[in-house]
Amino acid sequence: MPLLSIAEVNQLPFEEFIQIFGNVVEHCSLCAAAVWRNCPFSNIQNLSSAFNEFMDNLPMIGKEGILRLHPDLAGRLAMAGALTQESTKEQASAGLGNMSTDEREKMSRLNSQYKEKFGFPFVICARQNKKEAILKGLEERLNNSMDQETLTGVDEVKKICYLRLLDIVDKNSKL
Ligand SMILES: NC(=O)N[C@H]1NC(=O)NC1=O
């Protein structure tokens, strides 16, 4: 799909806005439904800030819910080819489809430990990290507190969201 100008974004009826932006936060079209109210947007930064502010304003239990909607990195869904289009591309760009047996076992063990401790999956912006950095991040972040990790996870969701917006909206377009 060609990139949309911000003027085109502002003209989208609600239903089309959801079709197009409903997965910029993984499996959470509620975010797009809420953000639509901020229309008209002046540029992509303004649109991205609206998503970020919505997530920042959620109570901790809502932030945890957003994290819980994310698929594991190199997990069961990835193996089954059942990720969303966006996640498939992101996980591939980090080299997660191309791991040794040792790396795969380590990722799976750390992902399980992480979920056991926090009750939601480890989330990191895969397009900004390679598999080595992801494994290191997983090991380090396992030491964090629940509150720290909820906020760190949501910060990663914001990065994922911005990169997904860049795939849809022309970053040079302004009102
Ligand atoms: N768990 C997790 O981080 N998932 C993801 N990260 C990302 O960049 N895309 C995802 O699906």
Side-chain angles (χ1 to χ4, degrees):
M1 195 175 79
L3 293 177
L4 296 175
S5 70
I6 202 73
E8 287 169 327
V9 171
N10 288 334
Q11 278 160 13
L12 292 172
F14 175 73
E15 290 74 14
E16 276 182 56
F17 186 87
I18 297 299
Q19 261 171 23
I20 295 173
F21 294 101
N23 206 54
V24 295
V25 178
E26 182 79 4
H27 293 306
C28 195
S29 56
L30 167 66
C31 293
V35 155
W36 187 74
R37 202 169 188 280
N38 293 30
C39 194
F41 303 98
S42 47
N43 53 35
I44 192 171
Q45 271 74 31
N46 182 231
L47 176 60
S48 158
S49 300
F51 277 97
N52 293 350
E53 275 168 33
F54 177 72
M55 289 189 268
D56 284 340
N57 285 327
L58 290 173
M60 290 307 257
I61 192 174
K63 292 183 171 77
E64 287 169 27
I66 292 217
L67 297 176
R68 218 167 275 127
L69 286 169
H70 284 71
D72 282 348
L73 292 166
R76 195 176 42 81
L77 288 177
M79 302 295 247
L83 293 173
T84 60
Q85 237 182 344
E86 293 91 332
S87 286
T88 304
K89 199 171 95 177
E90 291 157 0
Q91 298 209 18
S93 84
L96 295 177
N98 194 12
M99 288 194 291
S100 66
T101 310
D102 275 3
E103 286 171 328
R104 200 170 284 289
E105 279 172 9
K106 189 171 176 191
M107 180 81 73
S108 163
R109 179 170 48 80
L110 291 172
N111 267 334
S112 300
Q113 282 177 19
Y114 185 97
K115 255 204 252 183
E116 179 101 346
K117 174 166 178 184
F118 298 110
F120 48 76
F122 173 75
V123 175
I124 190 165
C125 178
R127 281 203 263 182
Q128 289 180 348
N129 291 279
K130 292 287 170 226
K131 60 184 177 182
E132 294 77 10
I134 291 177
L135 280 167
K136 189 158 168 278
L138 237 174
E139 260 176 328
E140 287 173 2
R141 281 170 51 187
L142 257 169
N143 299 315
N144 282 348
S145 70
M146 178 82 182
D147 281 1
Q148 258 178 328
E149 217 21 55
T150 305
L151 297 177
T152 303
V154 169
D155 279 344
E156 294 297 317
V157 173
K158 291 178 190 171
K159 296 177 196 167
I160 297 168
C161 174
Y162 183 64
L163 294 180
R164 289 183 181 186
L165 288 175
L166 281 175
D167 289 336
I168 302 172
V169 182
D170 178 0
K171 66 177 186 306
N172 297 315
S173 161
K174 295 181 182 47
L175 266 201

